[in-house]
Every structure is written in C-alpha cells, then in structure tokens.
Amino acid sequence: MDFFMQSLLLTLLTLVASIFVLQKRRKLLVLGSTKSLPPGSFGWPLVGETYQFLFNKIEHFLQERVQKHSSEIFHTHILGESTVVLCGPGANKFVSTNETKLVKVSYMKTQRRFFIIPDQRHAPMPKPTQEAASAAPVKILGILKPEGISRYMGNKIESTMNQHFITHWEGKKEVKVYPLVKAFSLTLGCQFFLGIDGPKFASEFENLYFGIYSVPVNFPGSTYHRALKAAAAIRKEIQILIKEKIDALSKGQVVDDLIAHVVGAEQDGKYVPRLEISNIIMGLMNSSHMPIAITLAFMIKHIGQRPDIYQKILSEHADITISKGSGTALDWNSIQKLKYTWAVAQETMRLYPTAPGAFREAITDITYEGFTIPKGWKIFWAFIGTNKNPKYFHEPESFDPSRFEGNAPVPYTWLPFGAGPRTCPGKDYVRFVVLNFIHILITKFKWEAILPDEKVSGSSIPIPAEGIPIRLHHY
C-alpha cells in the first residue's frame, strides 16, 4: 500500500510539473520573440495567482508585487487568463486616455458567464446588432445625467427615504446601519431601474456582486455558483419586465423608470436585443446597489465617531433645511452645495473602495514603460492601487475629509468611478442618493458608533463584520 501511495503521489507530482512546463511554454509561444514582458509570475499551474489575488486582499496583492518588482506594471495569471496589472497615476492616465485606441472593455472568461457576454474574438456580434444595441446606452445617458436623475428621482427618493426612516429608524435607540442601508439602496434601485415597488432579489444581487471577484469554481455552495444562479434569476425577471414595458409603451402608457427609458429605443425604430437590455440594467444595478450601501454604512460610522465632522456636516445642511424644510429631498442645485459632505463621502470611498479595478484587453501590442503588453492579453486596471499609497495620500490609513477640500488630490490618484470615456455612468446617481440619505439622516438624528474598532472583513470588497451598530439620539 505504501508503495502504491508513493507511486500515485509521484505520478501526480509528475503530472502537475508537466502541466506547469506546458503552461510556461504556451505563454512563451504567445510572446514569440518578445523579451520585454513586464516582470511578474504566472503562478501555479492552472490556477495561476488567482487565490493570492482574491484571498490576500487585492490591495495587498498589488502592494506586494509592486514592491517586489519595483514596478507599477507586472504580469500574472488570474481567473484563468494571462493578465498584465497596471496601477499608479501614470497607468490610470494611460488606460483612460487610450480607450478604444489601444485597449477595449473586456471581461474575464469567468465573468462573462454572469452576463452571457460572447467572446468577441471567436464569435463577434453581427454588425446590425451592434448598431442597434448602441441605442440603449445612448438612451441611458439622458436619464443618468443630473437633470434626468432630479426629474425621475425627486419624488421617489423623498417618499422612499421618509418611509424607510419611519419604519426602521424612528423610535429606535440602537440600529445596525449596514443591513438597513442595503435594504434602502435596493428598494430605491428597484424603483428607479426596474420600476417596481419594494426590494426584490436582495440575496441575488448581493450574491452577484460578491461573485464577480470570486474563485471561479462552479459547485453547489460556492460563491461563484451562487452568483451564476443569481444572475440567471435576475436576468429572467428583467426580461419579463422588459416585455411588460414594451406592452405598456405600445398602449401609450407613460412609464417613468430606467428600464422603460431604455426599451423606448425600440420606438425609434432600432431593435435592441432583450439580452442586451437585461445586461445593461443588471450591470447598473450591480454597480450601484451594494456600493451605495457600503459607502453609506462606513460614512455614517465615521461621522458617528467624529464630532468635528458631524458638526461641519450639520452646519452645511442647516441652510438647506431652513429653505426646503426637514425631510425634504434635495434637487441637484442643493446637492452641489454640499461640498464638505461630499468630501466625507469621497474620503470614505478612498478608504473603503467598492470597485478594486476593471478589466481591459489589449487591442494591439502595447508598449508601456519600456515593456510590451501582448495583443489579446487582459489588463487589470487597478483603481485602488493609489488609494493607500503614502506617496499620494499623507497618513493614508487615517480618515481625513480635508484631502478633498480646496486642493483636490493629484490627478489620476483617486478613481472611484474610473476615468475617461468609460467613466461609470451611474456616478451622479450614487452622489445624489448618498447625499440625500445623509441630509435626511442628519436632520433627524445625532448618533455615535458603538464599535469604533469594528473589524472590516472581505478580501476584495470591504464589509463591516458587525453591521456597524450605532446609538441614536432623536432631535
């Protein structure tokens, strides 16, 4: 038996070693005679450095390799694909200013399964479909501009917030912030994006959000498996809603929500595939619901820990409260006046980033900093690579909203919504919702954080381990 086990172990080790050698050879063949690949490592056979990327906190993964290679560009192998990682202000500027010229939006193979995105290198979308589908993003841009948000959100956000506070906050001495703001964000998102009342698919949207950056192992119980199931359920529901919106619009009914706005592209004679619409809506919901909740939760925590910050915010909101009245939603002009409150939100997003980065693909061989990024390789554009770097932010672990007052951070050192032509289209929606929520909250309550040293869990996305309990004091 011992001999058998030793033989089996030797066979397995030989197999693993062979796979490793073949993987190395394959990658070198991809490079051809190129000798200027950025420094780095392809990691273990098959899995590459995926586990280090996902389980060691992405920011630590970046810091360790930047320090090891003395370079803000390095190669790796994550989520099943050869990838060059770019971080730092120079890289941020390079990627954002070369969209469509040198790089294009791309998703890892494992991520495409969530949105049923075809691999365009092997199955390009037919030209007529590409032209038609472009009508949907164009429609979205109008409603997601500040004036569109104010128009469509004004009454909805006011009634939703007031009902939320009446139900979950008023009369309470203590609350846990994180689950409450998650419920609020989802309720509002369902109204704005889907046109339905009440939160729906709470667990599905959360599973999808955390599944984007998860180990792509598809077996029951895994994070990735739950995310795939969630995406399928959400997509099915959205396609039912699309049919309902089309029927309503064909009957001349007025429907004011984002999904109807996008579907309205069909009335212009341009067919937009329902899968494309569902991908757009699901993507917008995914990139706004949980980020709003996480930002609000940690923002409320820090305000509750810092009386100086609380007083500045209260003072800033006082004039608006006098002119508009307590419990009234803000329009975009009022939002623009809340400069210090937004600085607090920005500092929160710097310390607790909800998007570690984005994937791109090299359209051609790219030369950057003396290195070559081969055509077809994935690029992980690490937004968070600068967030806690003392070169760009003094005492980076401290919470200091003054960083965003007066002289803003050095360009391209802080990109919570990306940059360039592919800047997140929902950034104004996030700002509108976060500042309106804080406005209503601070006109109703004073509070303090019960657990100032509460642990933050999560490797890629920050999550408050205890839900951020606070003690409330009613005015």
Side-chain angles (χ1 to χ4, degrees):
M1 179 63 72
D2 288 342
F3 175 77
F4 173 77
M5 292 301 295
Q6 290 175 9
S7 300
L8 179 61
L9 179 60
L10 181 61
T11 301
L12 289 174
L13 289 174
T14 303
L15 179 61
V16 170
S18 300
I19 293 173
F20 183 76
V21 171
L22 289 173
Q23 183 186 37
K24 280 281 190 182
R25 288 179 178 176
R26 179 176 62 81
K27 295 180 189 305
L28 291 174
L29 286 172
V30 170
L31 294 175
S33 60
T34 299
K35 297 181 180 180
S36 54
L37 186 69
S41 169
F42 290 120
W44 290 94
L46 302 179
V47 298
E49 294 189 310
T50 297
Y51 284 90
Q52 296 94 317
F53 179 72
L54 295 177
F55 290 141
N56 190 31
K57 285 190 179 293
I58 292 178
E59 61 185 38
H60 293 164
F61 176 87
L62 297 173
Q63 291 167 0
E64 289 171 359
R65 281 150 184 78
V66 167
Q67 184 176 7
K68 178 180 179 181
H69 304 299
S70 300
S71 174
E72 292 185 330
I73 172 174
F74 59 89
H75 78 262
T76 183
H77 190 272
I78 54 175
L79 298 173
E81 299 190 57
S82 301
T83 305
V84 169
V85 178
L86 292 173
C87 55
N92 292 340
K93 181 178 181 181
F94 178 80
V95 175
S96 62
T97 56
N98 282 288
E99 292 274 13
T100 72
K101 292 182 287 186
L102 297 178
V103 301
K104 65 179 181 179
V105 174
S106 185
Y107 298 89
M108 304 301 268
K109 294 174 184 176
T110 57
Q111 294 176 328
R112 286 197 291 269
R113 295 187 64 186
F114 296 127
F115 298 95
I116 315 185
I117 300 171
D119 186 340
Q120 295 186 4
R121 288 174 295 180
H122 303 105
M125 187 182 292
K127 187 175 180 181
T129 305
Q130 287 178 327
E131 293 174 347
S134 67
V138 169
K139 282 283 185 179
I140 284 176
L141 292 179
I143 195 172
L144 289 179
K145 288 180 179 178
E147 57 272 19
I149 293 170
S150 293
R151 175 189 167 193
Y152 287 94
M153 290 287 290
N155 294 331
K156 291 178 182 178
I157 195 170
E158 183 174 325
S159 61
T160 301
M161 281 196 304
N162 284 327
Q163 185 58 51
H164 171 79
F165 282 110
I166 290 171
T167 304
H168 301 290
W169 297 69
E170 292 184 5
K172 306 290 195 305
K173 293 182 179 180
E174 293 182 3
V175 297
K176 284 193 174 184
V177 174
Y178 182 55
L180 293 185
V181 292
K182 274 199 302 183
F184 162 76
S185 175
L186 183 60
T187 298
L188 195 66
C190 285
Q191 290 176 339
F192 180 62
F193 292 105
L194 304 179
I196 58 178
D197 292 326
K200 195 165 188 177
F201 293 117
S203 61
E204 284 82 0
F205 274 113
E206 189 164 351
N207 287 338
L208 173 60
Y209 186 71
F210 289 107
I212 295 293
Y213 289 101
S214 66
V215 177
V217 178
N218 185 17
F219 61 83
S222 69
T223 301
Y224 188 71
H225 180 78
R226 288 195 299 268
L228 287 172
K229 287 184 63 178
I234 295 168
R235 185 182 305 108
K236 181 179 179 181
E237 179 67 20
I238 290 177
Q239 294 197 9
I240 292 172
L241 290 171
I242 290 171
K243 183 179 184 304
E244 292 176 357
K245 304 300 179 184
I246 291 173
D247 292 343
L249 290 170
S250 66
K251 296 174 183 176
Q253 298 178 18
V254 177
V255 187
D256 277 350
D257 51 64
L258 186 62
I259 194 169
H261 202 66
V262 178
V263 168
E266 292 195 323
Q267 294 183 329
D268 299 332
K270 296 179 179 179
Y271 171 69
V272 183
R274 294 185 185 184
L275 179 60
E276 177 75 11
I277 297 175
S278 62
N279 277 343
I280 291 168
I281 300 298
M282 186 161 63
L284 285 169
M285 285 280 290
N286 184 65
S287 61
S288 61
H289 160 46
M290 288 299 294
I292 285 174
I294 292 168
T295 300
L296 275 174
F298 284 109
M299 189 177 177
I300 290 168
K301 175 187 175 182
H302 281 281
I303 295 172
Q305 291 179 198
R306 294 276 299 275
D308 58 323
I309 293 176
Y310 173 85
Q311 289 299 331
K312 286 184 179 180
I313 292 178
L314 185 64
S315 176
E316 186 173 62
H317 288 251
D319 291 339
I320 297 177
T321 302
I322 292 171
S323 62
K324 288 189 168 292
S326 179
T328 302
L330 306 178
D331 55 25
W332 194 256
N333 288 332
S334 298
I335 290 292
Q336 297 290 84
K337 297 175 183 177
L338 299 176
K339 298 185 183 302
Y340 181 74
T341 311
W342 183 237
V344 176
Q346 289 174 298
E347 177 68 345
T348 303
M349 289 186 278
R350 182 191 69 82
L351 270 179
Y352 308 98
T354 57
F359 286 100
R360 297 291 186 265
E361 183 177 315
I363 297 173
T364 183
D365 284 353
I366 298 172
T367 300
Y368 177 75
E369 295 291 321
F371 300 110
T372 297
I373 303 174
K375 177 182 178 181
W377 272 41
K378 289 295 187 293
I379 295 171
F380 180 66
W381 177 16
F383 300 157
I384 64 171
T386 52
N387 284 22
K388 295 183 181 179
N389 190 323
K391 288 198 298 184
Y392 312 118
F393 296 99
H394 179 63
E395 296 183 355
E397 295 294 338
S398 66
F399 190 86
D400 182 9
S402 68
R403 304 180 201 275
F404 295 93
E405 291 186 289
N407 296 325
V410 174
Y412 296 102
T413 58
W414 181 77
L415 303 177
F417 302 107
R422 297 291 303 192
T423 299
C424 176
K427 65 176 184 176
D428 290 325
Y429 172 79
V430 171
R431 185 177 182 183
F432 188 82
V433 174
V434 167
L435 294 187
N436 258 297
F437 191 94
I438 294 297
H439 175 69
I440 301 296
L441 179 63
I442 208 159
T443 58
K444 288 177 175 289
F445 307 99
K446 185 175 182 179
W447 65 93
E448 65 250 8
I450 295 174
L451 300 174
D453 298 321
E454 180 177 351
K455 183 180 177 181
V456 178
S457 61
S459 55
S460 56
I461 308 298
I463 299 298
E466 304 298 330
I468 306 186
I470 62 172
R471 189 171 293 109
L472 289 174
H473 304 281
H474 298 251
Y475 288 133

